[in-house]
Amino acid sequence: MAEPRPVPEVDRAAAARKAVERRRARASLKRDLTTRVVTPQSVLERATADPDSVEGSMRITDFLLALPAIGAGKRDRILADLHISPVKRLGGLGVRQRVALSQWLDSRFPLLQPRGERSRLLVLAGPTAVGKGTVAAHIRENNPEIHLSVSATTRAPRPGEIDGVHYYFVDDAEFDRLIAEDELLEYAVVHNRSRYGTPRAPIDAALAAGKTVLLEIDLQGARQVRKAEPAATLIFLLPPTWDELVQRLVGRGTEGAEERARRLRTAKVELAAQNEFDHLIVNEDVAAAAAEVVELSSSSAR
Ligand code: 5GP
């Protein structure tokens, strides 16, 4: 029998580097699943399409544990029910196992269903620091055919902000009046600080003139719009990955550990709201994300 050939040193180093990279990619995928940046269904799809991918090489046990609200006990019961061995990897499931897992995922994590025809009232929301303001500003500059709602706020203007363009800067008494006279479609206290609200009249006028209207507001506001106008088109802006959002939230590192932890907790809660939305758009690139919003505006007919 021939002697096994020694593995050259360079190959071994490259293989070790590759293994570290894959471990990192798997850890990042787990975080994205836990924080719902990606859907479990899309991970299973990619694993099936390419068993050698990061998704394909993920253990079924790790996959299930990464899903929201699944602990070790539940995981083992699910595996038994679906007749899947715990040593399996996602890319190595048999056809019947894959179908069973996919059906279970759909029942447990229903995908957003198209809700029929939606109105030309578009709401852009998302977690803090995902960049919805930047996407909205891009649309304001490049798509004058879309009416971007100007909110009223009690916060002070920042340098460069123009009253009537970026916000209507009002005092508390005026904000109280807007509420009392039912002039706001929605309003909320944002970041425990100032009040923000959407004036109703300009929106009604723009919609009546056949225009598309875009609101860039926080999650509380988006929920109020859903209640007031059930046919509104709700768009949730997502970060490309959880790590990217963390970078944007705490990247500058100017906050203390407590503030950092608080922001990350808030981001997780905010990300979980995506299931309430009609469309998810990933903000990988501002111009591309803005183009997707504009595209949705032309496809919502009413
Ligand atoms: P900023 O003060 O940085 O301009 O905005 C802070 C937050 O307020 C952003 O998340 C923005 O989406 C939200 N916001 C701006 N206008 C409104 C509004 O009219 N209603 C609600 N609910 N949130 C708003």
Side-chain angles (χ1 to χ4, degrees), residues 96-127:
R96 234 177 283 161
Q97 293 174 324
R98 210 162 57 222
V99 170
L101 177 60
S102 160
Q103 283 171 350
W104 177 81
L105 288 173
D106 285 346
S107 67
R108 176 82 199 222
F109 304 96
L111 287 173
L112 299 169
Q113 297 296 331
R115 298 183 196 222
E117 214 179 49
R118 307 234 63 95
S119 83
R120 279 177 286 105
L121 177 59
L122 267 54
V123 176
L124 181 64

PDB file of all heavy atoms in Angstrom, residues 96-127:
ATOM      1  N   ARG A  96     -37.988  13.811   1.964  1.00  0.00           N
ATOM      2  CA  ARG A  96     -39.160  13.791   2.842  1.00  0.00           C
ATOM      3  C   ARG A  96     -38.915  14.627   4.112  1.00  0.00           C
ATOM      4  O   ARG A  96     -39.810  15.329   4.585  1.00  0.00           O
ATOM      5  CB  ARG A  96     -39.494  12.350   3.226  1.00  0.00           C
ATOM      6  CG  ARG A  96     -40.949  12.056   2.888  1.00  0.00           C
ATOM      7  CD  ARG A  96     -41.323  10.639   3.173  1.00  0.00           C
ATOM      8  NE  ARG A  96     -40.828   9.729   2.148  1.00  0.00           N
ATOM      9  CZ  ARG A  96     -40.686   8.413   2.325  1.00  0.00           C
ATOM     10  NH1 ARG A  96     -40.942   7.866   3.487  1.00  0.00           N
ATOM     11  NH2 ARG A  96     -40.279   7.640   1.345  1.00  0.00           N
ATOM     12  N   GLN A  97     -37.684  14.547   4.628  1.00  0.00           N
ATOM     13  CA  GLN A  97     -37.344  15.340   5.827  1.00  0.00           C
ATOM     14  C   GLN A  97     -37.427  16.834   5.519  1.00  0.00           C
ATOM     15  O   GLN A  97     -37.910  17.624   6.315  1.00  0.00           O
ATOM     16  CB  GLN A  97     -35.929  14.993   6.289  1.00  0.00           C
ATOM     17  CG  GLN A  97     -35.806  13.570   6.796  1.00  0.00           C
ATOM     18  CD  GLN A  97     -34.369  13.220   7.096  1.00  0.00           C
ATOM     19  OE1 GLN A  97     -33.451  13.656   6.401  1.00  0.00           O
ATOM     20  NE2 GLN A  97     -34.170  12.427   8.143  1.00  0.00           N
ATOM     21  N   ARG A  98     -36.955  17.181   4.310  1.00  0.00           N
ATOM     22  CA  ARG A  98     -36.952  18.594   3.926  1.00  0.00           C
ATOM     23  C   ARG A  98     -38.378  19.130   3.826  1.00  0.00           C
ATOM     24  O   ARG A  98     -38.696  20.211   4.313  1.00  0.00           O
ATOM     25  CB  ARG A  98     -36.252  18.739   2.577  1.00  0.00           C
ATOM     26  CG  ARG A  98     -35.570  20.052   2.412  1.00  0.00           C
ATOM     27  CD  ARG A  98     -34.571  19.990   1.304  1.00  0.00           C
ATOM     28  NE  ARG A  98     -35.167  19.581   0.057  1.00  0.00           N
ATOM     29  CZ  ARG A  98     -34.609  18.721  -0.786  1.00  0.00           C
ATOM     30  NH1 ARG A  98     -33.454  18.163  -0.493  1.00  0.00           N
ATOM     31  NH2 ARG A  98     -35.203  18.413  -1.923  1.00  0.00           N
ATOM     32  N   VAL A  99     -39.230  18.335   3.211  1.00  0.00           N
ATOM     33  CA  VAL A  99     -40.626  18.757   3.054  1.00  0.00           C
ATOM     34  C   VAL A  99     -41.283  18.902   4.425  1.00  0.00           C
ATOM     35  O   VAL A  99     -41.968  19.886   4.716  1.00  0.00           O
ATOM     36  CB  VAL A  99     -41.413  17.753   2.166  1.00  0.00           C
ATOM     37  CG1 VAL A  99     -42.902  18.054   2.201  1.00  0.00           C
ATOM     38  CG2 VAL A  99     -40.883  17.806   0.739  1.00  0.00           C
ATOM     39  N   ALA A 100     -41.021  17.906   5.306  1.00  0.00           N
ATOM     40  CA  ALA A 100     -41.622  17.943   6.646  1.00  0.00           C
ATOM     41  C   ALA A 100     -41.135  19.175   7.406  1.00  0.00           C
ATOM     42  O   ALA A 100     -41.926  19.892   8.040  1.00  0.00           O
ATOM     43  CB  ALA A 100     -41.266  16.672   7.409  1.00  0.00           C
ATOM     44  N   LEU A 101     -39.824  19.450   7.310  1.00  0.00           N
ATOM     45  CA  LEU A 101     -39.264  20.602   8.024  1.00  0.00           C
ATOM     46  C   LEU A 101     -39.840  21.902   7.453  1.00  0.00           C
ATOM     47  O   LEU A 101     -40.218  22.816   8.204  1.00  0.00           O
ATOM     48  CB  LEU A 101     -37.732  20.613   7.894  1.00  0.00           C
ATOM     49  CG  LEU A 101     -37.001  21.788   8.535  1.00  0.00           C
ATOM     50  CD1 LEU A 101     -37.265  21.857  10.039  1.00  0.00           C
ATOM     51  CD2 LEU A 101     -35.487  21.716   8.280  1.00  0.00           C
ATOM     52  N   SER A 102     -39.943  21.957   6.143  1.00  0.00           N
ATOM     53  CA  SER A 102     -40.452  23.162   5.502  1.00  0.00           C
ATOM     54  C   SER A 102     -41.913  23.428   5.910  1.00  0.00           C
ATOM     55  O   SER A 102     -42.290  24.569   6.197  1.00  0.00           O
ATOM     56  CB  SER A 102     -40.279  22.988   3.992  1.00  0.00           C
ATOM     57  OG  SER A 102     -41.107  23.833   3.309  1.00  0.00           O
ATOM     58  N   GLN A 103     -42.704  22.354   5.979  1.00  0.00           N
ATOM     59  CA  GLN A 103     -44.110  22.540   6.394  1.00  0.00           C
ATOM     60  C   GLN A 103     -44.185  22.994   7.846  1.00  0.00           C
ATOM     61  O   GLN A 103     -44.992  23.845   8.212  1.00  0.00           O
ATOM     62  CB  GLN A 103     -44.887  21.230   6.213  1.00  0.00           C
ATOM     63  CG  GLN A 103     -45.241  20.994   4.759  1.00  0.00           C
ATOM     64  CD  GLN A 103     -45.811  19.614   4.511  1.00  0.00           C
ATOM     65  OE1 GLN A 103     -45.786  18.751   5.394  1.00  0.00           O
ATOM     66  NE2 GLN A 103     -46.308  19.394   3.298  1.00  0.00           N
ATOM     67  N   TRP A 104     -43.316  22.406   8.658  1.00  0.00           N
ATOM     68  CA  TRP A 104     -43.317  22.793  10.069  1.00  0.00           C
ATOM     69  C   TRP A 104     -42.934  24.270  10.221  1.00  0.00           C
ATOM     70  O   TRP A 104     -43.566  25.019  10.975  1.00  0.00           O
ATOM     71  CB  TRP A 104     -42.355  21.895  10.866  1.00  0.00           C
ATOM     72  CG  TRP A 104     -42.281  22.311  12.295  1.00  0.00           C
ATOM     73  CD1 TRP A 104     -43.151  22.006  13.294  1.00  0.00           C
ATOM     74  CD2 TRP A 104     -41.278  23.167  12.875  1.00  0.00           C
ATOM     75  NE1 TRP A 104     -42.769  22.615  14.454  1.00  0.00           N
ATOM     76  CE2 TRP A 104     -41.626  23.324  14.237  1.00  0.00           C
ATOM     77  CE3 TRP A 104     -40.133  23.787  12.382  1.00  0.00           C
ATOM     78  CZ2 TRP A 104     -40.854  24.097  15.099  1.00  0.00           C
ATOM     79  CZ3 TRP A 104     -39.372  24.566  13.248  1.00  0.00           C
ATOM     80  CH2 TRP A 104     -39.745  24.708  14.584  1.00  0.00           C
ATOM     81  N   LEU A 105     -41.916  24.699   9.434  1.00  0.00           N
ATOM     82  CA  LEU A 105     -41.487  26.110   9.501  1.00  0.00           C
ATOM     83  C   LEU A 105     -42.620  27.043   9.080  1.00  0.00           C
ATOM     84  O   LEU A 105     -42.857  28.069   9.712  1.00  0.00           O
ATOM     85  CB  LEU A 105     -40.265  26.343   8.594  1.00  0.00           C
ATOM     86  CG  LEU A 105     -38.945  25.748   9.063  1.00  0.00           C
ATOM     87  CD1 LEU A 105     -37.881  25.918   7.989  1.00  0.00           C
ATOM     88  CD2 LEU A 105     -38.478  26.397  10.361  1.00  0.00           C
ATOM     89  N   ASP A 106     -43.329  26.669   8.005  1.00  0.00           N
ATOM     90  CA  ASP A 106     -44.423  27.529   7.524  1.00  0.00           C
ATOM     91  C   ASP A 106     -45.537  27.651   8.560  1.00  0.00           C
ATOM     92  O   ASP A 106     -46.167  28.702   8.684  1.00  0.00           O
ATOM     93  CB  ASP A 106     -45.012  26.984   6.214  1.00  0.00           C
ATOM     94  CG  ASP A 106     -44.086  27.253   5.037  1.00  0.00           C
ATOM     95  OD1 ASP A 106     -43.155  28.061   5.197  1.00  0.00           O
ATOM     96  OD2 ASP A 106     -44.293  26.645   3.970  1.00  0.00           O
ATOM     97  N   SER A 107     -45.783  26.557   9.308  1.00  0.00           N
ATOM     98  CA  SER A 107     -46.858  26.636  10.300  1.00  0.00           C
ATOM     99  C   SER A 107     -46.405  27.442  11.515  1.00  0.00           C
ATOM    100  O   SER A 107     -47.166  28.170  12.131  1.00  0.00           O
ATOM    101  CB  SER A 107     -47.299  25.238  10.730  1.00  0.00           C
ATOM    102  OG  SER A 107     -46.250  24.621  11.442  1.00  0.00           O
ATOM    103  N   ARG A 108     -45.111  27.327  11.818  1.00  0.00           N
ATOM    104  CA  ARG A 108     -44.602  27.977  13.017  1.00  0.00           C
ATOM    105  C   ARG A 108     -44.181  29.441  12.780  1.00  0.00           C
ATOM    106  O   ARG A 108     -44.337  30.299  13.628  1.00  0.00           O
ATOM    107  CB  ARG A 108     -43.394  27.135  13.486  1.00  0.00           C
ATOM    108  CG  ARG A 108     -42.647  27.652  14.643  1.00  0.00           C
ATOM    109  CD  ARG A 108     -43.337  27.275  15.913  1.00  0.00           C
ATOM    110  NE  ARG A 108     -42.872  28.118  16.964  1.00  0.00           N
ATOM    111  CZ  ARG A 108     -42.580  27.715  18.184  1.00  0.00           C
ATOM    112  NH1 ARG A 108     -42.741  26.459  18.513  1.00  0.00           N
ATOM    113  NH2 ARG A 108     -42.165  28.552  19.082  1.00  0.00           N
ATOM    114  N   PHE A 109     -43.618  29.693  11.599  1.00  0.00           N
ATOM    115  CA  PHE A 109     -43.163  31.048  11.245  1.00  0.00           C
ATOM    116  C   PHE A 109     -43.803  31.446   9.918  1.00  0.00           C
ATOM    117  O   PHE A 109     -43.151  31.435   8.882  1.00  0.00           O
ATOM    118  CB  PHE A 109     -41.632  31.099  11.111  1.00  0.00           C
ATOM    119  CG  PHE A 109     -40.914  30.630  12.325  1.00  0.00           C
ATOM    120  CD1 PHE A 109     -40.456  29.321  12.420  1.00  0.00           C
ATOM    121  CD2 PHE A 109     -40.707  31.477  13.405  1.00  0.00           C
ATOM    122  CE1 PHE A 109     -39.800  28.874  13.565  1.00  0.00           C
ATOM    123  CE2 PHE A 109     -40.049  31.043  14.541  1.00  0.00           C
ATOM    124  CZ  PHE A 109     -39.601  29.735  14.620  1.00  0.00           C
ATOM    125  N   PRO A 110     -45.106  31.790   9.948  1.00  0.00           N
ATOM    126  CA  PRO A 110     -45.797  32.078   8.690  1.00  0.00           C
ATOM    127  C   PRO A 110     -45.099  33.193   7.928  1.00  0.00           C
ATOM    128  O   PRO A 110     -44.693  34.190   8.522  1.00  0.00           O
ATOM    129  CB  PRO A 110     -47.190  32.510   9.127  1.00  0.00           C
ATOM    130  CG  PRO A 110     -47.254  32.328  10.596  1.00  0.00           C
ATOM    131  CD  PRO A 110     -45.903  32.017  11.127  1.00  0.00           C
ATOM    132  N   LEU A 111     -44.905  32.979   6.633  1.00  0.00           N
ATOM    133  CA  LEU A 111     -44.285  34.015   5.807  1.00  0.00           C
ATOM    134  C   LEU A 111     -45.314  35.101   5.544  1.00  0.00           C
ATOM    135  O   LEU A 111     -46.509  34.857   5.597  1.00  0.00           O
ATOM    136  CB  LEU A 111     -43.835  33.411   4.477  1.00  0.00           C
ATOM    137  CG  LEU A 111     -42.611  32.512   4.569  1.00  0.00           C
ATOM    138  CD1 LEU A 111     -42.357  31.850   3.234  1.00  0.00           C
ATOM    139  CD2 LEU A 111     -41.392  33.313   4.996  1.00  0.00           C
ATOM    140  N   LEU A 112     -44.808  36.294   5.262  1.00  0.00           N
ATOM    141  CA  LEU A 112     -45.732  37.383   4.969  1.00  0.00           C
ATOM    142  C   LEU A 112     -46.529  37.036   3.726  1.00  0.00           C
ATOM    143  O   LEU A 112     -45.969  36.708   2.700  1.00  0.00           O
ATOM    144  CB  LEU A 112     -44.939  38.664   4.708  1.00  0.00           C
ATOM    145  CG  LEU A 112     -44.098  39.141   5.861  1.00  0.00           C
ATOM    146  CD1 LEU A 112     -43.179  40.243   5.405  1.00  0.00           C
ATOM    147  CD2 LEU A 112     -44.997  39.622   6.969  1.00  0.00           C
ATOM    148  N   GLN A 113     -47.811  37.076   3.841  1.00  0.00           N
ATOM    149  CA  GLN A 113     -48.658  36.778   2.684  1.00  0.00           C
ATOM    150  C   GLN A 113     -49.010  38.092   2.009  1.00  0.00           C
ATOM    151  O   GLN A 113     -49.262  39.078   2.685  1.00  0.00           O
ATOM    152  CB  GLN A 113     -49.956  36.103   3.140  1.00  0.00           C
ATOM    153  CG  GLN A 113     -49.747  34.770   3.808  1.00  0.00           C
ATOM    154  CD  GLN A 113     -49.157  33.739   2.866  1.00  0.00           C
ATOM    155  OE1 GLN A 113     -49.376  33.806   1.667  1.00  0.00           O
ATOM    156  NE2 GLN A 113     -48.383  32.821   3.407  1.00  0.00           N
ATOM    157  N   PRO A 114     -49.054  38.122   0.692  1.00  0.00           N
ATOM    158  CA  PRO A 114     -49.537  39.331   0.053  1.00  0.00           C
ATOM    159  C   PRO A 114     -50.969  39.591   0.502  1.00  0.00           C
ATOM    160  O   PRO A 114     -51.768  38.672   0.551  1.00  0.00           O
ATOM    161  CB  PRO A 114     -49.493  39.005  -1.445  1.00  0.00           C
ATOM    162  CG  PRO A 114     -49.038  37.603  -1.571  1.00  0.00           C
ATOM    163  CD  PRO A 114     -48.741  37.049  -0.222  1.00  0.00           C
ATOM    164  N   ARG A 115     -51.251  40.813   0.892  1.00  0.00           N
ATOM    165  CA  ARG A 115     -52.582  41.091   1.451  1.00  0.00           C
ATOM    166  C   ARG A 115     -53.514  41.697   0.428  1.00  0.00           C
ATOM    167  O   ARG A 115     -54.329  42.543   0.735  1.00  0.00           O
ATOM    168  CB  ARG A 115     -52.465  42.073   2.605  1.00  0.00           C
ATOM    169  CG  ARG A 115     -51.646  41.564   3.744  1.00  0.00           C
ATOM    170  CD  ARG A 115     -51.696  42.621   4.799  1.00  0.00           C
ATOM    171  NE  ARG A 115     -50.650  42.404   5.768  1.00  0.00           N
ATOM    172  CZ  ARG A 115     -50.820  42.532   7.060  1.00  0.00           C
ATOM    173  NH1 ARG A 115     -51.991  42.854   7.526  1.00  0.00           N
ATOM    174  NH2 ARG A 115     -49.824  42.343   7.888  1.00  0.00           N
ATOM    175  N   GLY A 116     -53.348  41.313  -0.807  1.00  0.00           N
ATOM    176  CA  GLY A 116     -54.234  41.868  -1.827  1.00  0.00           C
ATOM    177  C   GLY A 116     -53.767  43.254  -2.205  1.00  0.00           C
ATOM    178  O   GLY A 116     -52.615  43.616  -1.972  1.00  0.00           O
ATOM    179  N   GLU A 117     -54.664  44.019  -2.750  1.00  0.00           N
ATOM    180  CA  GLU A 117     -54.293  45.320  -3.260  1.00  0.00           C
ATOM    181  C   GLU A 117     -54.033  46.297  -2.109  1.00  0.00           C
ATOM    182  O   GLU A 117     -54.835  46.412  -1.187  1.00  0.00           O
ATOM    183  CB  GLU A 117     -55.433  45.825  -4.127  1.00  0.00           C
ATOM    184  CG  GLU A 117     -54.929  46.635  -5.276  1.00  0.00           C
ATOM    185  CD  GLU A 117     -56.067  47.102  -6.151  1.00  0.00           C
ATOM    186  OE1 GLU A 117     -57.044  47.633  -5.607  1.00  0.00           O
ATOM    187  OE2 GLU A 117     -55.952  46.944  -7.369  1.00  0.00           O
ATOM    188  N   ARG A 118     -52.927  46.979  -2.191  1.00  0.00           N
ATOM    189  CA  ARG A 118     -52.588  47.924  -1.134  1.00  0.00           C
ATOM    190  C   ARG A 118     -52.695  49.348  -1.660  1.00  0.00           C
ATOM    191  O   ARG A 118     -52.652  49.588  -2.862  1.00  0.00           O
ATOM    192  CB  ARG A 118     -51.179  47.643  -0.629  1.00  0.00           C
ATOM    193  CG  ARG A 118     -50.952  46.208  -0.210  1.00  0.00           C
ATOM    194  CD  ARG A 118     -50.416  46.157   1.183  1.00  0.00           C
ATOM    195  NE  ARG A 118     -51.360  46.689   2.130  1.00  0.00           N
ATOM    196  CZ  ARG A 118     -52.214  45.945   2.821  1.00  0.00           C
ATOM    197  NH1 ARG A 118     -52.238  44.663   2.691  1.00  0.00           N
ATOM    198  NH2 ARG A 118     -53.043  46.499   3.679  1.00  0.00           N
ATOM    199  N   SER A 119     -52.783  50.293  -0.725  1.00  0.00           N
ATOM    200  CA  SER A 119     -53.006  51.670  -1.156  1.00  0.00           C
ATOM    201  C   SER A 119     -51.695  52.383  -1.484  1.00  0.00           C
ATOM    202  O   SER A 119     -50.600  51.859  -1.255  1.00  0.00           O
ATOM    203  CB  SER A 119     -53.757  52.435  -0.079  1.00  0.00           C
ATOM    204  OG  SER A 119     -52.854  52.888   0.889  1.00  0.00           O
ATOM    205  N   ARG A 120     -51.845  53.607  -2.012  1.00  0.00           N
ATOM    206  CA  ARG A 120     -50.666  54.406  -2.376  1.00  0.00           C
ATOM    207  C   ARG A 120     -50.085  55.135  -1.160  1.00  0.00           C
ATOM    208  O   ARG A 120     -49.226  55.975  -1.301  1.00  0.00           O
ATOM    209  CB  ARG A 120     -51.045  55.399  -3.472  1.00  0.00           C
ATOM    210  CG  ARG A 120     -51.065  54.770  -4.847  1.00  0.00           C
ATOM    211  CD  ARG A 120     -51.518  55.760  -5.907  1.00  0.00           C
ATOM    212  NE  ARG A 120     -52.948  56.018  -5.829  1.00  0.00           N
ATOM    213  CZ  ARG A 120     -53.479  57.138  -5.330  1.00  0.00           C
ATOM    214  NH1 ARG A 120     -52.697  58.096  -4.897  1.00  0.00           N
ATOM    215  NH2 ARG A 120     -54.785  57.298  -5.267  1.00  0.00           N
ATOM    216  N   LEU A 121     -50.586  54.776   0.013  1.00  0.00           N
ATOM    217  CA  LEU A 121     -50.014  55.339   1.241  1.00  0.00           C
ATOM    218  C   LEU A 121     -48.942  54.363   1.729  1.00  0.00           C
ATOM    219  O   LEU A 121     -49.239  53.259   2.176  1.00  0.00           O
ATOM    220  CB  LEU A 121     -51.118  55.500   2.288  1.00  0.00           C
ATOM    221  CG  LEU A 121     -50.688  56.001   3.661  1.00  0.00           C
ATOM    222  CD1 LEU A 121     -50.012  57.367   3.565  1.00  0.00           C
ATOM    223  CD2 LEU A 121     -51.889  56.082   4.601  1.00  0.00           C
ATOM    224  N   LEU A 122     -47.676  54.782   1.580  1.00  0.00           N
ATOM    225  CA  LEU A 122     -46.555  53.906   1.930  1.00  0.00           C
ATOM    226  C   LEU A 122     -45.938  54.335   3.260  1.00  0.00           C
ATOM    227  O   LEU A 122     -45.726  55.532   3.483  1.00  0.00           O
ATOM    228  CB  LEU A 122     -45.467  54.030   0.857  1.00  0.00           C
ATOM    229  CG  LEU A 122     -45.461  53.045  -0.312  1.00  0.00           C
ATOM    230  CD1 LEU A 122     -46.793  53.010  -1.018  1.00  0.00           C
ATOM    231  CD2 LEU A 122     -44.368  53.402  -1.290  1.00  0.00           C
ATOM    232  N   VAL A 123     -45.662  53.361   4.105  1.00  0.00           N
ATOM    233  CA  VAL A 123     -45.027  53.668   5.382  1.00  0.00           C
ATOM    234  C   VAL A 123     -43.681  52.953   5.430  1.00  0.00           C
ATOM    235  O   VAL A 123     -43.612  51.742   5.241  1.00  0.00           O
ATOM    236  CB  VAL A 123     -45.897  53.178   6.561  1.00  0.00           C
ATOM    237  CG1 VAL A 123     -45.182  53.428   7.880  1.00  0.00           C
ATOM    238  CG2 VAL A 123     -47.251  53.870   6.541  1.00  0.00           C
ATOM    239  N   LEU A 124     -42.622  53.735   5.653  1.00  0.00           N
ATOM    240  CA  LEU A 124     -41.287  53.145   5.750  1.00  0.00           C
ATOM    241  C   LEU A 124     -40.858  53.191   7.218  1.00  0.00           C
ATOM    242  O   LEU A 124     -40.729  54.257   7.801  1.00  0.00           O
ATOM    243  CB  LEU A 124     -40.306  53.939   4.881  1.00  0.00           C
ATOM    244  CG  LEU A 124     -38.873  53.439   4.839  1.00  0.00           C
ATOM    245  CD1 LEU A 124     -38.774  52.063   4.212  1.00  0.00           C
ATOM    246  CD2 LEU A 124     -37.976  54.419   4.088  1.00  0.00           C
ATOM    247  N   ALA A 125     -40.673  52.012   7.807  1.00  0.00           N
ATOM    248  CA  ALA A 125     -40.223  51.951   9.202  1.00  0.00           C
ATOM    249  C   ALA A 125     -39.096  50.926   9.301  1.00  0.00           C
ATOM    250  O   ALA A 125     -38.698  50.320   8.302  1.00  0.00           O
ATOM    251  CB  ALA A 125     -41.386  51.583  10.116  1.00  0.00           C
ATOM    252  N   GLY A 126     -38.599  50.709  10.506  1.00  0.00           N
ATOM    253  CA  GLY A 126     -37.504  49.754  10.681  1.00  0.00           C
ATOM    254  C   GLY A 126     -36.799  50.023  11.981  1.00  0.00           C
ATOM    255  O   GLY A 126     -37.141  50.980  12.676  1.00  0.00           O
ATOM    256  N   PRO A 127     -35.812  49.193  12.319  1.00  0.00           N
ATOM    257  CA  PRO A 127     -35.120  49.406  13.592  1.00  0.00           C
ATOM    258  C   PRO A 127     -34.306  50.702  13.587  1.00  0.00           C
ATOM    259  O   PRO A 127     -33.955  51.208  12.525  1.00  0.00           O
ATOM    260  CB  PRO A 127     -34.194  48.194  13.704  1.00  0.00           C
ATOM    261  CG  PRO A 127     -34.040  47.691  12.316  1.00  0.00           C
ATOM    262  CD  PRO A 127     -35.294  48.040  11.583  1.00  0.00           C
TER     263      PRO A 127
END
